[in-house]
Amino acid sequence: LGKLLRALRVVRMSQVLESLQLLLKCIYASLRILFWSLVLLMIIQCSAGMTISYMLSDFMVTDDGNAEARFQVFRYYGTFSKTLLTMFEVLFANWAPACRVLIDNVSEWWALGFIVYRCFVGFAVLNVVNAVFIQTTMKVAHEDEEVIAFEKTKSQEIYRRRVNNMFREADTSED
């Protein structure tokens, strides 16, 4: 009885570990895509950040206007690292504060630029990246021979049960 229980436990664990194994295979297969996705996003973020920082450089260095407003803009866009952090925040987190600083202190036209940027990068680019990850995961899952063999065995077992049930129901003499 003890050996039977251990065997059942191993069978259950193998089913749990099979899912984990498939998950790890999919993550491993996606590493190249992850790397190039990050490179693409970094290029987009750096390009957009440098463009915004360049466009704001005159505002930050002129002595005309409010020093507090220049400081607030500098806090978000004053250096390359601050601008890069702001651009990642705009894409992945709360974009409103970074946009609001420019709307309140520089020009309201910055809202249009942020909306276009968020729609293009936030929706278009990230959705394409997500689709590629999903496609890779599905490809690995479909090509995984172990999963295919397990699914085949499972479907054969279901078919065997159905046939046995059909014969039991058809058996009128019950011998």
Side-chain angles (χ1 to χ4, degrees):
L1 182 66
K3 289 182 181 182
L4 180 64
L5 290 176
R6 276 190 293 247
L8 288 174
R9 215 176 298 143
V10 168
V11 168
R12 271 193 239 131
M13 283 301 291
S14 69
Q15 291 173 351
V16 170
L17 293 179
E18 194 171 287
S19 299
L20 177 64
Q21 190 177 30
L22 177 62
L23 183 64
L24 291 175
K25 284 180 183 179
C26 291
I27 290 172
Y28 179 73
S30 299
L31 285 178
R32 271 194 321 229
I33 295 169
L34 174 66
F35 172 75
W36 288 112
S37 299
L38 291 175
V39 168
L40 175 66
L41 287 174
M42 184 64 101
I43 290 170
I44 292 171
Q45 299 285 12
C46 288
S47 301
M50 287 187 295
T51 302
I52 291 173
S53 185
Y54 177 75
M55 292 171 75
L56 293 171
S57 61
D58 287 340
F59 176 80
M60 288 185 280
V61 296
T62 58
D63 286 334
D64 302 345
N66 187 355
E68 178 64 27
R70 286 195 320 270
F71 175 73
Q72 285 180 356
V73 172
F74 182 82
R75 222 177 95 215
Y76 283 95
Y77 303 99
T79 64
F80 178 75
S81 57
K82 289 179 183 182
T83 304
L84 188 61
L85 179 63
T86 300
M87 296 314 293
F88 272 96
E89 189 177 43
V90 165
L91 183 60
F92 294 113
N94 188 6
W95 65 279
C99 180
R100 184 74 57 197
V101 165
L102 297 181
I103 292 170
D104 292 343
N105 298 312
V106 182
S107 171
E108 291 182 0
W109 285 102
W110 282 100
L112 179 64
F114 272 86
I115 290 170
V116 169
Y117 177 78
R118 283 285 299 165
C119 287
F120 175 70
V121 178
F123 296 132
V125 174
L126 288 181
N127 283 339
V128 169
V129 168
N130 284 337
V132 170
F133 275 108
I134 291 170
Q135 182 183 16
T136 302
T137 302
M138 296 304 291
K139 181 180 175 186
V140 168
H142 285 296
E143 291 178 353
D144 191 3
E145 293 172 347
E146 295 170 10
V147 171
I148 292 171
F150 176 72
E151 291 296 324
K152 185 177 180 182
T153 305
K154 191 164 59 170
S155 66
Q156 287 173 345
E157 179 64 26
I158 291 170
Y159 180 73
R160 187 188 61 78
R161 285 183 196 155
R162 286 182 183 166
V163 169
N164 282 343
N165 287 338
M166 183 180 71
F167 280 120
R168 276 193 211 115
E169 290 174 8
D171 186 16
T172 56
S173 64
E174 296 182 12
D175 54 352

